[in-house]
């Protein structure tokens, strides 16, 4: 049975677009057989997308010590419509942070806790000056999420 992974990631710059594309690349690795992938910008994603998925990978920039407004908007529109039906949804997060990302992490963790979603791993913080290795880390995260779904681990 095919599982569905949803990637909701804010990508306002060329570098953050590289991160979203890396997550997609990892999730569509040739060894992944039974996972369908949907990739959406936060303003294009909504509760129907969450209700249709078996796991979610979130990506955001750090904006003034908080998540992007676009990801916050996604949560605002999706929170109550998915609250009851998606308890325990496996999730992961990457944060592209110019500072330390702690405020962003705390904000997303608070919402995820309220939703009753289950972390697959600790949030991935990509902080400081841009490094090409950030894309490799996000690609690995996408692969991990898809492989865990494919194998039935999550």
């Amino acid at each position: 049975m095919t599982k569905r992974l949803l990637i909701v990631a804010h990508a306002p710059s060329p570098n953050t677009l590289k991160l979203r594309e890396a997550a997609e690349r990892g999730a569509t690795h040739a060894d992944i057989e039974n996972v369908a992938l949907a990739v959406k910008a936060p303003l294009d994603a909504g509760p129907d997308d969450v209700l249709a998925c078996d796991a979610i990978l979130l990506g955001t920039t750090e904006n003034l010590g908080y998540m992007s407004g676009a990801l916050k908007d996604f949560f605002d529109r999706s929170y109550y419509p998915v609250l009851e039906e998606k308890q325990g949804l496996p999730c992961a997060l990457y944060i592209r942070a110019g500072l330390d990302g702690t405020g962003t992490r705390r904000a997303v963790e608070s919402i995820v806790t309220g939703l009753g979603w289950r972390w697959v791993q600790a949030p991935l913080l990509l902080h400081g000056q841009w490094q090409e290795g950030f894309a490799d880390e996000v690609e690995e995260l996408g692969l991990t999420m898809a492989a865990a779904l494919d194998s039935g681990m999550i």
Side-chain angles (χ1 to χ4, degrees):
M1 181 177 183
T2 300
K3 300 284 183 118
R4 186 171 175 97
L5 174 60
L6 174 62
I7 296 174
V8 177
H10 186 54
S13 70
N15 286 339
T16 53
L17 182 57
K18 286 180 188 178
L19 297 178
R20 187 169 68 198
E21 290 169 345
E24 183 174 359
R25 211 170 30 254
T28 58
H29 188 277
D31 292 340
I32 305 300
E33 297 178 355
N34 296 307
V35 176
L37 179 66
V39 180
K40 295 201 171 192
L43 296 175
D44 296 330
D48 290 341
D49 298 299
V50 178
L51 291 169
C53 78
D54 297 294
I56 188 169
L57 173 56
L58 304 164
T60 188
T61 52
E62 175 186 57
N63 291 24
L64 304 172
Y66 197 70
M67 74 184 88
S68 71
L71 188 63
K72 176 65 166 74
D73 177 78
F74 163 75
F75 280 130
D76 287 345
R77 289 179 292 105
S78 301
Y79 190 93
Y80 289 108
V82 307
L83 182 60
E84 296 300 319
E85 290 185 51
K86 296 312 278 191
Q87 293 284 313
L89 180 69
C91 68
L93 167 70
Y94 68 85
I95 300 167
R96 173 62 191 113
L99 299 172
D100 66 4
T102 57
T104 306
R105 178 181 177 164
R106 191 170 35 254
V108 175
E109 285 176 333
S110 177
I111 293 169
V112 165
T113 297
L115 285 165
W117 292 358
R118 181 171 46 91
W119 290 106
V120 172
Q121 71 174 51
L124 176 59
L125 294 174
L126 310 163
H127 57 84
Q129 294 294 318
W130 172 259
Q131 300 170 37
E132 290 301 323
F134 288 164
D136 295 334
E137 292 181 63
V138 174
E139 184 173 345
E140 184 176 326
L141 179 58
L143 175 58
T144 298
M145 289 289 291
L149 267 178
D150 197 29
S151 69
M153 291 177 61
I154 60 172

